[in-house]
Amino acid sequence: MAAQCVTKVELTVACTNLLDKDVGSKSDPLCVLLQNTSGQQWYEVDRTERVKNSLNPKFAKKFLIDYYFELVQKLKFGIYDIDNRTFDLSDDDFLGEFECTLGQIVSSRTLTKPLVLKNGRPAGRGSITITAEEVKDNRVVVLEVEARKLDNKDFFGKSDPYLEFHKQTGDGNWVMVHRTEVIKNNLNPVWRPFKVSLNSLCYSDMDKSIKVVECYDYDSDGSHDLIGSFQTTMSKLKEASRSSPVEFECINEKKRQKKKTYKNSGVVSVKHCEIIVECTFLDYIMGGCQLNFTVGIDFTGSNGDPRSPDSLHYLSPNGVNEYLTAIWSVGMVIQDYDTDKMFPAFGFGAQIPPSFQVVSHEFPINFNPSNPFCNGIQGIVDAYRACLPQVKLYGPTNFSPIINHVARFAAAATQQQTASEYFVLLIITDGVITDLDQTRTAIVNASKLPMSIIIVGVGGADFDAMEFLDGDNGVLRSSSGEPAVRDIVQFVPFRKFQNCPKEALAQCVLAEIPQQVVNYFSTYKLQPPKNPAA
């Protein structure tokens, strides 16, 4: 599956206290950026200029990297003292290197770390500072448009008008960038306010031609009739205000050529046009937003006895199973966006010690209710392995308790009035959900909170109910009929990824998270705790 590039990131590099390898002068350092493809395979992305005679270089050339939230992008910065004209670095003095992920850099925004030699020892007192900046134009145009006295194209009733906005590409073709909703049976329509990025509308060029608006009469058979069109620019649209709308005659060229007395086919009125700046996903991350990761693990009896090789909880000779693979895959990406790396992990559907009398649907897998946190992803793995022999797998499969548990923390985070925390719950399960109505209600309530839910289905069960919870095919509703305000659930069956590279599962389930984060915080008009541009 192809990863979706969230944005481009520009990296600026500076070093201090580099090793001095030159006799009679100082080192002439250069920085090379390598990216990991798989295993120990590294390829060169780019390199900076050489800075002459400096142990504290500030490199002018920037590195431009495609940023993918759903991937662990491993980077290595190598510093070399360049004393010859060859491109090959193997004949230059090595001054140190630093290895990290792009996620670590963007979540810190500025990262300063010591340089190390090839043997892992410190490169003297040398250090590297990497600063990340998003390359973007995040201006958005907000438009309110209406029309009056449109031509009637329908024999019975009135026209059903909608608008299309087009921009001109470099080769002269017109590309549609926005279509309004259809207003039924109305020659004086008022369309809902809408937003479109400035880049999408006109390549951020205020004077570039916009072919607004082709105004059409909608027909259900697809044979929409053109009412009329006009061209304008963003500079002209910006003059609009509610007290003084900007108006355009809608012209139908065929009618004008046929009819000498033709005036227009109606008037389109732009009542409001405003350019605003919207935060991007990286604005929130660089501005201090933390992604809090919680894991919920299915310990119901349908998984099978963990001691049996047929069990989904059976640990293979190399110590893994589908549950652990899912935890590693998703957790390795998420962990870069949480500063303390302490992750709560819960089990559900088991009888737990010491009494084994009651089935618990929300127990910490480290059996410490006052501190359910595990230290890093490895801590979750260790707690899971220690927990397995201590619980009795039972049932039923109830999701709502653990969803409501995380939702309580997400609700508390909303009291901060800033975009400071967002919660990601990973539920790994083997089968059919029992408390479907309660889970639907829990998800609908959680859709109003800074929270997303990832469900990974392991084993070969029928996961139709899980597909139903994922709102891709329509709006999820609670048992009482209340709709979810956002689609926050992503479900995938693990079996789809059994023969794929280990990164594929995380790519699939995490691809929607950046947009879910942005949608939530922009809907509630919450700003990052720190100004990322500061």
Side-chain angles (χ1 to χ4, degrees):
M1 143 173 198
Q4 176 187 357
C5 178
V6 173
T7 188
K8 288 185 182 292
V9 172
E10 193 175 68
L11 302 179
T12 304
V13 178
C15 296
T16 57
N17 301 313
L18 293 178
L19 294 171
D20 192 354
K21 294 285 188 175
D22 287 356
V23 178
S25 64
K26 295 174 182 172
S27 294
D28 304 323
L30 165 152
C31 178
V32 61
L33 174 62
L34 306 172
Q35 188 160 2
N36 180 266
T37 49
S38 62
Q40 292 303 307
Q41 297 295 312
W42 294 85
Y43 72 92
E44 181 175 329
V45 176
D46 204 354
R47 55 179 75 180
T48 66
E49 78 283 9
R50 178 181 68 153
V51 178
K52 288 188 177 180
N53 289 320
S54 178
L55 303 182
N56 302 289
K58 294 179 178 177
F59 299 105
K61 184 173 177 180
K62 321 285 188 189
F63 294 123
L64 192 63
I65 301 280
D66 286 343
Y67 166 73
Y68 301 90
F69 167 75
E70 65 271 24
L71 294 180
V72 177
Q73 293 175 265
K74 293 180 183 176
L75 305 178
K76 185 188 290 184
F77 297 83
I79 311 297
Y80 290 84
D81 174 23
I82 307 299
D83 286 321
N84 56 49
R85 293 180 178 273
T86 66
F87 188 80
D88 188 2
L89 295 172
S90 62
D91 56 359
D92 295 299
D93 291 322
F94 177 66
L95 303 180
E97 66 185 14
F98 170 62
E99 197 174 319
C100 66
T101 67
L102 186 54
Q104 287 172 309
I105 298 171
V106 298
S107 60
S108 303
R109 190 163 187 272
T110 297
L111 191 65
T112 300
K113 292 289 182 179
L115 291 166
V116 297
L117 300 174
K118 297 288 187 186
N119 59 13
R121 292 180 177 173
R125 295 188 300 116
S127 71
I128 185 169
T129 297
I130 307 154
T131 303
E133 189 172 334
E134 186 178 6
V135 179
K136 66 189 179 192
D137 181 351
N138 54 339
R139 290 174 294 173
V140 173
V141 184
V142 182
L143 285 161
E144 294 180 25
V145 186
E146 61 184 38
R148 65 177 184 272
K149 298 182 179 177
L150 295 177
D151 283 353
N152 192 7
K153 294 284 186 177
D154 288 353
F155 190 72
F156 298 106
K158 297 172 182 170
S159 294
D160 306 320
Y162 68 90
L163 301 178
E164 285 185 356
F165 289 68
H166 298 249
K167 71 176 177 184
Q168 196 167 25
T169 62
D171 57 8
N173 293 320
W174 292 94
V175 177
M176 187 180 67
V177 295
H178 183 78
R179 180 188 287 126
T180 68
E181 77 278 15
V182 176
I183 305 287
K184 290 282 190 179
N185 207 33
N186 196 327
L187 302 181
N188 301 289
V190 178
W191 289 281
R192 287 195 299 264
F194 61 89
K195 292 191 294 189
V196 59
S197 81
L198 187 63
N199 184 58
S200 292
L201 190 60
C202 58
Y203 297 109
S204 301
D205 181 345
M206 304 300 281
D207 297 312
K208 193 168 187 68
S209 227
I210 302 168
K211 183 170 156 187
V212 175
V213 220
E214 295 192 332
C215 183
Y216 282 96
D217 171 34
Y218 174 84
D219 284 314
S220 57
D221 64 1
S223 59
H224 313 308
D225 300 313
L226 177 66
I227 295 174
S229 67
F230 61 89
Q231 289 189 23
T232 184
T233 63
M234 194 59 224
S235 296
K236 182 67 177 173
L237 291 174
K238 264 189 71 184
E239 296 172 8
S241 67
R242 291 189 179 90
S243 59
S244 179
V246 174
E247 299 195 327
F248 302 92
E249 289 187 298
C250 215
I251 303 298
N252 187 312
E253 284 297 334
K254 286 185 178 178
K255 287 188 74 171
R256 183 159 68 174
Q257 289 171 13
K258 288 180 181 176
K259 194 174 179 183
K260 288 184 178 178
T261 58
Y262 176 83
K263 186 177 180 185
N264 61 51
S265 294
V267 174
V268 172
S269 176
V270 179
K271 296 185 297 181
H272 178 68
C273 178
E274 180 185 8
I275 297 177
I276 62 173
V277 177
E278 284 197 337
C279 285
T280 65
F281 176 68
L282 282 187
D283 282 333
Y284 293 114
I285 295 301
M286 293 179 180
C289 179
Q290 294 286 301
L291 297 188
N292 298 312
F293 181 48
T294 303
V295 178
I297 301 171
D298 183 337
F299 286 100
T300 56
S302 52
N303 282 278
D305 185 340
R307 294 167 297 187
S308 166
D310 296 331
S311 171
L312 291 167
H313 280 299
Y314 176 75
L315 294 174
S316 67
N318 58 356
V320 298
N321 58 28
E322 290 185 7
Y323 281 91
L324 285 178
T325 303
I327 291 169
W328 271 118
S329 180
V330 177
M332 289 301 287
V333 174
I334 291 278
Q335 67 173 354
D336 285 341
Y337 303 89
D338 187 314
T339 49
D340 67 6
K341 308 283 188 285
M342 299 296 289
F343 306 116
F346 296 91
F348 58 91
Q351 293 175 324
I352 60 174
S355 67
F356 296 100
Q357 296 299 309
V358 180
V359 176
S360 174
H361 298 290
E362 187 191 335
F363 65 89
I365 63 173
N366 64 2
F367 300 111
N368 186 347
S370 61
N371 184 14
F373 294 89
C374 302
N375 188 358
I377 304 305
Q378 185 63 52
I380 299 175
V381 172
D382 293 342
Y384 167 77
R385 287 174 174 156
C387 168
L388 260 182
Q390 298 186 62
V391 299
K392 280 186 184 172
L393 275 57
Y394 211 77
T397 306
N398 291 353
F399 283 7
S400 61
I402 199 166
I403 294 173
N404 289 330
H405 176 98
V406 176
R408 285 193 291 273
F409 287 92
T414 63
Q415 303 303 309
Q416 299 177 57
Q417 300 299 307
T418 61
S420 56
E421 292 184 273
Y422 195 90
F423 294 77
V424 178
L425 169 61
L426 169 65
I427 298 176
I428 313 168
T429 182
D430 82 312
V432 181
I433 187 169
T434 310
D435 65 337
L436 187 57
D437 285 350
Q438 294 92 327
T439 295
R440 283 163 55 195
T441 299
I443 292 170
V444 167
N445 291 335
S447 71
K448 305 166 195 166
L449 299 170
M451 180 173 166
S452 293
I453 301 167
I454 298 164
I455 304 173
V456 176
V458 296
D462 177 4
F463 290 118
D464 284 351
M466 306 302 174
E467 300 278 9
F468 169 71
L469 296 176
D470 188 330
D472 288 347
N473 296 321
V475 177
L476 178 72
R477 294 181 181 273
S478 71
S479 52
S480 64
E482 181 186 359
V485 296
R486 300 184 298 131
D487 174 16
I488 64 167
V489 176
Q490 176 76 350
F491 166 76
V492 295
F494 186 89
R495 57 178 175 253
K496 274 190 180 177
F497 301 92
Q498 280 178 318
N499 301 315
C500 296
K502 63 181 187 299
E503 300 87 3
L505 176 65
Q507 271 184 251
C508 182
V509 298
L510 292 174
E512 293 182 12
I513 295 290
Q515 196 55 49
Q516 290 174 356
V517 170
V518 170
N519 284 349
Y520 175 80
F521 290 131
S522 61
T523 298
Y524 292 94
K525 296 181 170 57
L526 297 174
Q527 294 296 309
K530 300 174 292 192
N531 179 1

